[in-house]
């Protein structure tokens, strides 16, 4: 449904011409998301996940590469014409607190896009109210309670559901959930996650899930693809389960090693990978971007640029010269 | 250091353009003021008992001091003069260089403005801290409301009230003039005493008029800083009250320096009412005079001076921020 | 870099310096437009000297309030309404006032701030703030203090000299957090309270910080309280675990035991609500309902009953007592009933 | 418009209800502090005075040749002016011009300032820099001196004209502030979401952005009213604007420069009456401004 | 701490203001030609002689630089004798050469008697230094004028040794050439007038004065002058120092006066209550004298309905001048008894009681006004007067905003008119220059206008029948321009019928310049009648030269009605009138 090739994005720090500082947020990312499919992006903070998500949702322009939606290359369209394509891709913000206008009731929030739709399709006004209630029910809210309320009168989880309901008003084909649960109470998180999962299954909406928590990616993107992003590059790509079980890129491995172990329920993996240095974006690197932090790097890594490909016996694509299977993931203790 | 230098260079370049544009605008406006200064002068002489033809001849000479040529030519002359800091000669005081007249008037504006503003700044800032600390108490309320009120009251109302109080009801202060001429100017007690006596009302008015603003600004700034986590953190580390107070004060006062610089720049042009009411011979009075006398060169000079003061104040404010705030110094964009 | 150290199976021997802490019947109320409402109520919690105790709870459950209470630093409009916080060598902190209290903070109790990102004065270098700290506590040998700080920072994998010379904005989130830990420890405090030490950090940095906490704790012989909303974080570092809900501690006990066999329905629900990397995805279940806020916490009865699958009539009226069973303490009528049945059986 | 935002059939959710709730909220906010109530009453009283004040007096105010600069009395609470006209009557009948100017100025200031600020902040990029350069320029030109000069070119014979000019000179600060607010609001999720949903720019600006800025705009509006009142009264006081016996500024001018209010006490009431009117208006507005934030923020309003 | 009682011994400090230079300017040169120059008339700036404030004869003087003067009976020349022992403050003697150089400078500035135009009336044609103390000036014969003598006597005298260098060597030849015809003369005139700005801007480093005082120092608020020991009459100059205070508005003078600071203050408009307070200050006294100036309401007769004399007369009947004066200028004016173009006092002298009584006093009130308005075809509807064509009539009086007495007066007039059913309002103009420009451009229907500016009768009537009303003097020839053109904003008729005789008031006014005696009297009587009947203006009040003196420190001030009152107190002092108490 949507594919991207070689997406690059460079931010120029604002300021005057003389002091422009550049941040390479994306360095040539390829992706493709099927209709009704699920894809997850994971990576460290600042690796460009959000940027990519926003580009996909049409909220940000990219400066290199091409995005193709339903076979139509976006670069061939004038910005105004792109809008209907991107409208089918809705972004769910990380922060449900700022994603809703505090001065508008839930009803007003939902009514605006519904009214637009009703007008376009010539539906009667009453359809909107029905639809609003329908959508709220769909996301598991009680319309009677929620509709007349202002966002501040709702809990974080309720708000996030309203945000999702609002995204659904335009019958999107894809939801981009950018850390959609990270600001929600732990006990409510799963509710949102399963709602998204549910929507995918019931409505056939594809979901792009952006997170730094591999476990949620696994939960929601069951059977889908996982993209591991590092400094604006995809370093490993493949089926979620495959990667979690058999990560081959040291970066992926260090991400997985960093997941806290529920001692008492699980035992840690035997070969955890810990980066040898902290992320420092100001350093420009030749060769493999991860080389400087990689415990296994060689001279080759520092000079030669690896490409994302399937090599060796591993099913997933990765960009490591020395792919190797390591046991980094915690395993459940045998049920006592 | 380079950040500072680069910023300064940018500011200066932009400032220069601004000066040129504003000067051009004010030039066009000023030169289009209707009214013949020489005819007015003529009427004045007539009133003073000069015979009409004598008055006519006496005023005819003044035409020599009127700007010559087409408007465009006058503009070219004016601008070329500007680059050599030659603002021309005053029309009403032929022979007096505009720069000299401006300098003399500026002295008398800057003196009370500086003293008044600094005084109110000091007191306002202190009371602002107090109002912030006691913000939930009665006294805090009183301070805040009186601050808003003083801030809201126009200067001339204060000036008139103070004038009525100290020159009519309890006539203890002189209104008008700078110092008693009988005292030899210089560093002697008599002269300085007289200087202070004459400046008291203008200074008091400036101080009162701006005091409200300072108390409000400082209060809100302190309240913001008090809410900042690092203050609580310092407290939780058991830092001494004095040190914490300094943390609060330094962080809170930072944005105020910017306002201080800006307000000093603005006061060059804002002293008109006070100077008119107290007959204090500063720029404001001079400006009114130059307008009623259609002294084009002087008016232009005054506009230029005020504009430059505002621009410089802006630059100083920004540079001050750059120097004081380490975040800006290192080239980071800080939301203000 | 060293490979992750695993928590030892046996809690370390309590060092001589590590103080014990006994929180007894602690209640804190906040003044709101609806009157004074309790943010925490009747908390009993013992910190065993030399151990790391983890407190988990959702947003608004009163974790920070509890942490601040340990320093008698609840901010207005809140106040400690009842209870005591006994700290070895200090006595009841709740009774401390003025200079005594100030000196206790920092010297005896190190506090690492929830938003460590912002716990530094933006206008001063870390070094200058360190000196301020030293002066505040009458440290005569400031040189030694700086040396100590550098060593601590070095210990945490940073270039001490450079860090001390930096302003807050020149440090990354993880570095700031480490500076926060350094400032909490540099005066040799042996009770350290960390409020959400890793919340805004990404996975890899979080792992690093957690490791540092563990290492420093052991090396310096501390009593540590780690507060977080992330069960994973406590599980990773804590010896003992306390679960908070609606201003109460509903369950506590040794981490492994609690995670391995949660008893309180909330703990169980919470554990089930966390998606795991391994195992059956479909086992994960969301907890119904939503956490209470200050205004919606039930005034009487069990605070969790609205969301509880084991709700009984008694839950509506009687607040369950915290019943100890060996090292484990649970406050739940249903668990009590089950235990009673078990003992009967 | 109704098809955009239908008067929804949902019970308790009609626009009328919303409006009713809003006013109830406003009432609550005002009631919370007696000072706000006082402020609101003062402002309403001034509004009443501006609208109906002149109706209580004949077109030609009565004069008394034998009571020039009469001291305060029951008949003349603030004495009389140089012509023996009651000063209170002058203040009351004069309020219309002053307040109308203030209102016109405020509306123009806000419309222009908000418009330009919104446009610049919303469009960003080139438009932004051009508009902000212009705004900077505008802010750099000294306002009062410019007004003094303009008053020789222009005759501000009606409140509308006066308000227009003051408005044209006053939008700079508001534009700057609105722009920076817009820039920050733009980054908020809900604006982005609205764009993502394909909602029209009109909707985004009118329904999403503006209401969020309402307290700020309302506050500025009130402040602009006072600012305009001050500016024009000041200009009249300096004597550069057309004569109007009951204009507050003219009264100040005549009291000081004609009646010697700063020299003797006879004209003092004549001076103090308009001064007190200005002070009271300021006080009222200051007290009301305090409530703006709460009035427009549903969260604070309904607490 | 005021300086009045300050560090003065002996003569003490005399404090005053200079009404001729309200805003002191520290940057101004010490230059009497400069409008703001720091040369104060009578103190450190001298004329040849000081004109007396005589009601009918402008050619009476007190000695200045000249000790005495001989005027040829036909006024064809004047011979001046200087004070024998007069010296400049730097010790150099004051000589005829100083006078000659000063006259040269006056040529560049275009003083009355020093017109370069050969056709100009009353110009000096020859300057002859007879001896160091004597100088003779002869009037050009082709166009003699009665203004010649006054023009000479009012010459400002500056020291030749300081100012002489401003005049080029061939200056006097150029003057001779300039007074002829042809291109060469044109060039010479240009050379001379080109000197004007230089003279105006010239600023000696230090004050060299031949007056009783010399400027010591100044600041923006005050100027300090000290006694010139070399002054011819120094022995009789009472004060040691003179302090001249700056002022920007009358209210400041009121402040000085109520504080008892000023030993003398020239005419300042004062509100009644301020007057009381001034009078209450110890030592303060009021001296009143004659001032020729009057204030009036002037019409633009190109505008309807003011073209109709009946409308103007009706208005004159309606306006209660006493009430207006009481509101506008209670202390500094007296209501005009009638409107004749002249101040009441000289009018009585020129016209005699009979002549005065024959003038219409315009005191008919509403009844008379109604009659006149009806004659003009105005219609009264619902108590409001409408124009002849039925349109509403709104009378707008324009005044410059800074003149508060005019404003109050105009307001009082409109109030009266409104009461009588004539809709009237006051409109102000931001400042005086603008007012004058708009007035001259014919933008106003009715405006305030100063009339009766003496001292010569010619000067008086020029305000009514001069440029503003269409009569222009070009190269000695009088011509009349139509209404609305070239500054003719009054737009009155070119001829007026007076006593059955058509007169041309402009021509008559011009004639006043050269005629004397009975003929002069006759013309004035004709003009007074013309002004009274035709009413180009309605006179409202005559100014009274109200001065304040304080007798705490000095005495010997001029009495009420003294002919010295229009001279600065510097002149009183130099003539030895003022005495230390
Ligand atoms: N508007 C912007 N201007 C400048 N730089 C930006 C901007 N937005 C993002 N960046 C930079 O681009 C890089 C990628 O940012 P992005 O927000 O996509 O990361 P992320 O993977 O979503 O991180 P996180 O997990 O913290 O949300 C970062 O270095 C960030 O600083
Ligand atoms: N200043 C305050 N005024 C009123 N109520 C407060 C205040 N501070 C905290 N509370 C309330 O007290 C309760 C506990 O707050 P606390 O900050 O301890 O929670 P927390 O568990 O630390 O939450 P988080 O995970 O969000 O940090 C919350 O319901 C909160 O709303
Ligand atoms: Mg992100
Ligand atoms: Mg917390």
């Amino acid at each position: 449904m949507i594919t991207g090739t070689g997406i690059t994005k460079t931010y120029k720090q604002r300021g005057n011409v003389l002091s422009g500082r550049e941040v390479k947020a994306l360095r040539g990312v390829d992706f493709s998301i099927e209709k009704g499919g699920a894809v997850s992006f994971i990576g460290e903070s600042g690796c460009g996940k959000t940027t990519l998500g926003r580009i996909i949702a049409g909220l940000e322009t990219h400066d290199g590469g091409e995005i193709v939606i339903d076979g139509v290359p976006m670069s061939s369209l004038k910005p105004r014409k792109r809008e209907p394509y991107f409208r089918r891709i809705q972004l769910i913000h990380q922060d449900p607190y700022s994603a809703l206008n505090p001065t508008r009731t839930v009803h007003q929030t939902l009514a605006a896009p519904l009214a637009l739709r009703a007008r376009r399709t010539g539906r009667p006004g009453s359809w909107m109210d029905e639809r609003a209630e329908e959508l709220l029910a769909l996301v598991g809210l009680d319309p009677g309670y929620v509709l007349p309320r202002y966002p501040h009168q709702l809990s974080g989880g309720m708000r996030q559901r309203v945000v999702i309901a609002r995204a659904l008003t335009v019958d999107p084909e894809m939801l981009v959930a950018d850390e959609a649960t990270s600001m929600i109470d732990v006990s409510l998180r799963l509710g949102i996650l399963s709602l998204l999962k549910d929507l995918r299954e019931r409505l056939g909406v594809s979901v792009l899930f952006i997170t730094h928590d591999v476990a949620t990616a696994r939960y929601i993107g069951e059977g889908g693809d996982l993209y591991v992003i590092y400094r604006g590059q995809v370093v490993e790509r493949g089926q979620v389960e495959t990667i979690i079980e058999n990560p081959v890129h040291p970066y992926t491995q260090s991400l997985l090693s960093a997941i806290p172990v529920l001692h008492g329920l699980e035992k840690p993996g035997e070969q955890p990978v810990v980066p040898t240095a902290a992320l420092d974006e100001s350093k420009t690197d030749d060769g493999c971007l991860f080389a400087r932090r990689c415990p296994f790097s060689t001279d080759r890594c520092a000079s030669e640029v690896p490409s994302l490909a399937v090599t060796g016996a591993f099913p997933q694509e990765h960009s490591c010269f020395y792919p190797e299977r390591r046991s980094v993931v915690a395993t459940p203790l045998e049920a006592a | 250091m380079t950040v500072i230098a680069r910023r300064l260079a940018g500011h200066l370049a932009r400032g220069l353009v601004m000066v040129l544009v504003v000067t051009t605008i004010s030039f066009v406006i000023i030169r289009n003021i209707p009214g013949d200064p020489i005819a007015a002068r003529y009427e004045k002489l007539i009133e003073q008992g000069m015979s009409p033809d004598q008055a006519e001849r006496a005023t005819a000479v003044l035409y020599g001091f009127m700007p010559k040529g087409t408007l465009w030519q006058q503009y070219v002359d004016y601008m070329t003069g500007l680059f050599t800091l030659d603002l021309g000669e005053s029309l009403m005081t032929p022979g007096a260089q505009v720069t000299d007249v401006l300098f003399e008037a500026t002295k008398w504006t800057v003196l009370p403005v500086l003293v008044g503003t600094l005084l109110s700044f000091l007191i306002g800032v202190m009371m602002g801290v107090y109002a912030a600390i006691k913000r939930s108490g009665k006294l805090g309320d009183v301070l805040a409301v009186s601050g808003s009120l003083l801030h809201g009251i126009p200067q001339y109302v204060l000036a008139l009230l103070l004038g009525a109080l100290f020159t009519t009801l309890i006539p203890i202060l002189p209104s008008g003039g700078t110092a008693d001429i009988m005292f030899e100017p210089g560093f002697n007690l008599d002269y300085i005493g007289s200087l202070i006596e004459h400046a008291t009302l203008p200074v008091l008015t400036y101080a009162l008029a701006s005091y409200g603003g300072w108390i409000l600004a400082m209060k809100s700034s302190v309240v913001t800083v008090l809410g900042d986590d690092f203050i609580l953190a310092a407290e939780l580390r058991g830092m001494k009250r004095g040190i914490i107070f300094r943390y609060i004060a330094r962080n809170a006062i930072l944005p105020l320096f910017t306002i201080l610089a800006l307000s000093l720049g603005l006061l060059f042009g804002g002293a008109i009412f006070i100077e008119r009411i107290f007959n204090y011979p500063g720029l404001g009075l001079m400006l009114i005079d130059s307008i009623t006398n259609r002294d084009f060169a002087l008016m232009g000079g005054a506009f230029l001076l005020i504009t430059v003061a505002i621009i410089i104040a802006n630059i100083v404010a920004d540079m001050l921020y750059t120097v004081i705030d380490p975040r800006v110094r290192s080239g980071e964009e800080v939301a203000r | 870099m060293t490979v992750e150290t695993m928590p030892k199976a046996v809690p370390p021997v309590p060092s001589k310096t590590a103080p014990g802490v006994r929180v007894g019947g602690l209640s804190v109320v906040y003044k709101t437009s609806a009157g004074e409402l309790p943010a925490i109520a009747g908390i009993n919690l013992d910190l065993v000297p030399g151990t790391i105790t983890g407190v988990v709870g959702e947003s608004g459950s009163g974790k920070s309030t509890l942490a601040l209470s340990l320093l008698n630093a609840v901010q207005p409009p809140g106040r400690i309404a009842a209870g005591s916080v006994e700290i070895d060598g200090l006595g009841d902190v709740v009774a401390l006032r003025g200079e005594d209290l100030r000196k206790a903070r920092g010297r005896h109790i190190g506090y690492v701030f929830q938003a460590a990102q912002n716990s530094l004065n933006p206008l001063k270098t870390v070094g200058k703030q360190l000196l301020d700290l030293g002066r505040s506590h009458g440290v005569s040998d400031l040189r030694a203090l700086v040396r100590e700080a550098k060593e601590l920072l070095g210990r945490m994998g940073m270039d001490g000299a450079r860090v001390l010379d930096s302003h807050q904005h020149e440090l990354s989130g993880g570095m700031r957090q480490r500076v926060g830990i350094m400032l909490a420890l540099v005066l040799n405090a042996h009770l350290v309270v960390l409020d959400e030490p890793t919340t805004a950090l990404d996975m890899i940095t979080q792992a690093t910080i957690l490791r540092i906490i563990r290492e420093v704790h052991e090396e310096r012989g501390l009593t540590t309280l780690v507060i977080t909303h992330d069960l994973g974080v406590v599980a990773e570092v804590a010896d003992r675990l306390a679960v908070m809900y609606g201003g109460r501690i509903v369950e506590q006990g040794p981490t492994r035991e609690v995670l391995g066999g949660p008893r309180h329905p909330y703990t169980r629900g919470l554990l089930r609500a966390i998606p795991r990397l391994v195992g059956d995805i479909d086992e994960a279940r969301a907890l119904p309902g939503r956490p209470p806020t200050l205004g919606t916490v039930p005034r009487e009865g069990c605070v969790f009953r609205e969301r509880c699958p084991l709700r009984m009539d008694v839950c509506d009226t009687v607040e369950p007592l915290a019943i100890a069973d060996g090292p484990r303490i649970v406050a739940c009528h249903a668990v009590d009933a089950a235990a009673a049945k078990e003992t009967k059986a | 418009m109704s098809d955009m935002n239908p008067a929804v059939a949902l019970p308790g959710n009609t626009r009328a209800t919303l409006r009713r709730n809003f006013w109830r909220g406003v009432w609550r906010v005002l009631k919370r502090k007696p000072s706000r109530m006082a402020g609101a009453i003062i402002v309403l009283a001034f509004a009443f005075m501006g609208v109906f004040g002149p109706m209580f007096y004949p077109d030609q105010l009565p004069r008394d040749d034998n009571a020039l600069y009469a001291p305060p009395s029951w008949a003349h609470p603030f004495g009389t002016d140089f012509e023996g006209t009651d000063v209170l009557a002058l203040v009351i009948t004069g309020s219309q011009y002053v307040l109308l100017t203030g209102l016109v100025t405020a509306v123009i200031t806000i419309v222009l300032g908000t418009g330009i600020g919104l446009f610049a902040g919303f469009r960003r990029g080139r438009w932004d820099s051009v508009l902000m350069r212009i705004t900077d320029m505008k802010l750099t030109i000294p306002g009062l001196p410019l007004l003094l000069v303009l008053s020789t070119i222009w005759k501000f014979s009606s409140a509308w004209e006066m308000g227009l000019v003051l408005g044209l000179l006053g939008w700079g600060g508001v534009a700057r502030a609105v722009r920076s607010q817009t820039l920050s609001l733009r980054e908020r999720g809900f604006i982005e979401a609205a764009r993502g949903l394909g909602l029209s720019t009109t909707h985004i600006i009118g329904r999403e952005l503006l209401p969020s800025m309402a307290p700020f705009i309302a506050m500025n509006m009130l402040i602009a009213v006072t600012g305009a009142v001050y500016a024009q009264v000041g200009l009249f006081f300096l004597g550069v604007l057309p004569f109007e016996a009951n204009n507050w500024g003219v009264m100040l001018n005549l009291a000081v420069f004609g009646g010697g209010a700063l020299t003797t006490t006879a004209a003092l009431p004549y001076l103090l009456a308009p001064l007190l009117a200005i002070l009271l208006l300021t006080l009222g507005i200051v007290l009301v401004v305090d409530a703006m934030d709460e009035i427009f923020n549903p969260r604070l309003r309904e607490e | 701490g005021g300086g009045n009682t300050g560090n003065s011994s002996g003569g003490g400090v005399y404090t005053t203001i200079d009404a001729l230079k309200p805003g002191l300017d520290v940057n101004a040169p010490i230059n009497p030609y400069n409008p703001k120059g720091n040369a104060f008339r009578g103190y450190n700036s001298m004329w040849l002689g000081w004109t007396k404030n005589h009601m009918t004869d402008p050619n009476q003087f007190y000695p200045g630089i000249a000790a005495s003067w001989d005027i040829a009976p036909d006024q064809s020349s004047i011979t001046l004798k200087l004070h024998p022992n007069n010296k400049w403050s730097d010790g150099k003697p004051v000589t005829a050469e100083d006078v000659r150089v000063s006259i040269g400078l006056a040529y560049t500035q275009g003083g009355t008697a020093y017109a370069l135009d050969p056709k100009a009336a009353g110009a000096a044609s020859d300057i002859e230094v007879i001896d160091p103390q004597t100088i003779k000036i002869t009037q050009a014969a082709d166009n003699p004028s009665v203004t010649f003598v006054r023009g000479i006597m009012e010459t400002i005298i500056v020291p030749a040794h300081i100012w002489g260098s401003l005049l080029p060597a061939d200056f006097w030849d150029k003057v001779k050439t300039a007074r002829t015809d042809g291109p060469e003369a044109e060039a010479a005139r240009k050379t001379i007038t080109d000197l004007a700005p230089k003279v105006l801007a010239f600023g000696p480093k230090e004050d060299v004065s031949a007056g009783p005082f010399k400027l010591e120092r100044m600041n923006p608020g005050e100027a300090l002058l000290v006694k010139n020991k070399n002054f011819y009459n120094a022995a009789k100059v009472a004060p040691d120092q003179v302090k001249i205070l700056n002022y920007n508005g009358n209210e400041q003078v009121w402040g000085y006066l109520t504080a008892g600071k000023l030993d003398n203050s020239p005419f300042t408009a004062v509100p009644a209550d301020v007057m009381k307070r001034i009078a209450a200050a110890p030592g303060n006294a009021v001296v009143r004298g004659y001032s020729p100036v009057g204030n009036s309401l002037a019409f633009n007769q190109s505008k309807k309905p003011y073209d109709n004399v009946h409308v103007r007369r009706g208005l004159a009947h309606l306006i209660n001048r006493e009430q207006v004066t009481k509101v506008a200028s209670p202390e500094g004016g007296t209501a005009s008894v009638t409107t004749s173009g002249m101040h009441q006092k000289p009018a009585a002298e020129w016209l005699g009681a009979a002549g005065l009584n024959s003038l219409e006093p315009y005191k008919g009130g509403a009844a008379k006004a109604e009659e006149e308005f009806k004659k003009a075809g105005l219609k009264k509807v619902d108590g409001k007067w409408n124009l002849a064509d039925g349109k509403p009539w709104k009378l707008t009086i324009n005044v410059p905003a800074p003149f508060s007495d005019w404003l109050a007066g105009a307001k009082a007039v409109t109030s009266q008119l409104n009461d009588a059913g004539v809709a009237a309002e006051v409109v102000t103009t931001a400042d005086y220059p603008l007012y004058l420009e708009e007035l001259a451009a014919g933008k106003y229907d009715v405006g305030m206008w100063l009339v009766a500016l003496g001292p010569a009768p010619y000067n008086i009537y020029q305000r009514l029948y001069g440029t503003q009303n269409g009569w222009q003097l070009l190269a000695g020839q009088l011509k009349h321009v139509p209404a609305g053109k070239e500054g003719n904003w009054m737009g009155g008729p070119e001829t007026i019928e007076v006593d059955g005789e058509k007169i041309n008031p402009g021509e008559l006014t011009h004639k006043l310049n050269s005629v004397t005696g009975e003929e002069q009297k006759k013309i004035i009587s004709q003009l007074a009648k013309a002004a009274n009947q035709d009413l180009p203006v309605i006179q409202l009040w005559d100014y009274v030269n109200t001065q304040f003196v304080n007798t705490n420190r000095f005495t010997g001030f001029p009495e009420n009605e003294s002919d010295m009152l229009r001279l600065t107190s510097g002149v009183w002092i130099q003539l030895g009138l003022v005495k230390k108490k």
Side-chain angles (χ1 to χ4, degrees), chain B residues 30-244:
Chain B
I30 288 172
R31 292 294 152 98
N32 278 303
I33 299 179
D36 184 349
I38 296 177
R41 171 93 200 139
Y42 168 85
E43 280 291 320
K44 273 264 148 58
L45 292 177
I46 291 276
E47 240 183 288
Q48 289 169 4
M50 206 181 250
S51 66
D53 43 351
Q54 199 177 358
E56 197 173 312
R57 302 227 167 93
T59 45
V61 181
L62 290 176
Y63 284 105
F65 291 87
M66 289 284 273
K68 288 174 198 64
T70 59
L71 196 65
W72 174 246
Q73 224 169 328
Q74 291 177 29
Y75 177 67
V76 173
D77 288 352
Y78 186 70
M79 284 318 226
T80 39
L82 205 64
F83 277 103
T84 53
L85 284 181
D86 170 17
L87 301 178
E89 267 179 55
S90 160
L91 174 67
M92 277 302 113
T93 317
Q97 288 296 314
V98 164
T99 37
D100 294 339
V101 180
L102 282 178
F103 179 76
E104 177 68 28
T106 307
K107 266 201 312 216
W108 299 111
T109 289
V110 165
L111 179 82
V113 166
L114 210 63
V115 175
T117 309
L118 291 182
L119 206 69
S120 69
F121 182 76
L122 284 180
I123 300 174
V125 158
M126 282 194 284
M127 297 314 270
V129 174
Y130 197 72
I133 293 170
K134 301 268 172 198
R135 64 184 175 285
S136 43
K138 272 264 168 324
L139 198 69
D141 266 1
V142 169
L143 279 175
V145 169
S146 66
S148 315
L149 199 61
L150 274 178
H151 181 58
I153 297 176
Q155 275 185 359
Y156 58 84
V157 172
L158 279 176
L160 287 173
L161 287 175
L162 287 176
L165 186 62
F166 290 117
T167 63
T168 311
L169 295 176
I170 333 169
I172 47 170
L173 288 172
S175 87
T178 56
D180 194 317
I181 192 74
M182 299 310 294
F183 304 122
E184 190 88 41
F187 272 106
N188 57 72
L189 272 184
D190 284 344
Y191 178 72
I192 292 175
S194 179
L195 214 57
I196 292 175
E197 191 185 54
H198 283 78
T200 302
L201 278 176
V203 167
L204 202 63
T205 313
Y206 280 128
L208 271 180
S210 44
Y211 160 81
W214 295 127
I215 202 176
L216 291 187
M218 189 62 187
K219 184 193 158 186
S220 82
S221 188
V222 169
V223 168
T224 313
V225 174
L226 277 176
D228 277 355
D229 289 326
F230 74 91
I231 296 298
L232 180 57
E235 215 171 290
L236 295 186
R237 287 182 193 126
M239 299 249 202
K240 275 192 183 142
R241 288 183 74 90
I243 292 178
I244 296 182

Side-chain angles (χ1 to χ4, degrees), chain E residues 14-33:
Chain E
Y14 183 91
T15 310
T16 184
I17 57 169
D18 187 354
L20 303 168
K21 270 190 208 81
L24 295 183
D25 185 347
V26 289
N27 293 292
I30 307 171
N31 178 335
Y33 303 103

Side-chain angles (χ1 to χ4, degrees), chain E residues 262-280:
Chain E
L262 296 179
D263 292 298
N264 163 249
S265 138
F267 175 72
T268 315
V270 169
D273 196 69
V274 175
M275 191 65 166
K276 271 187 229 144
R277 229 176 122 163
I278 293 174

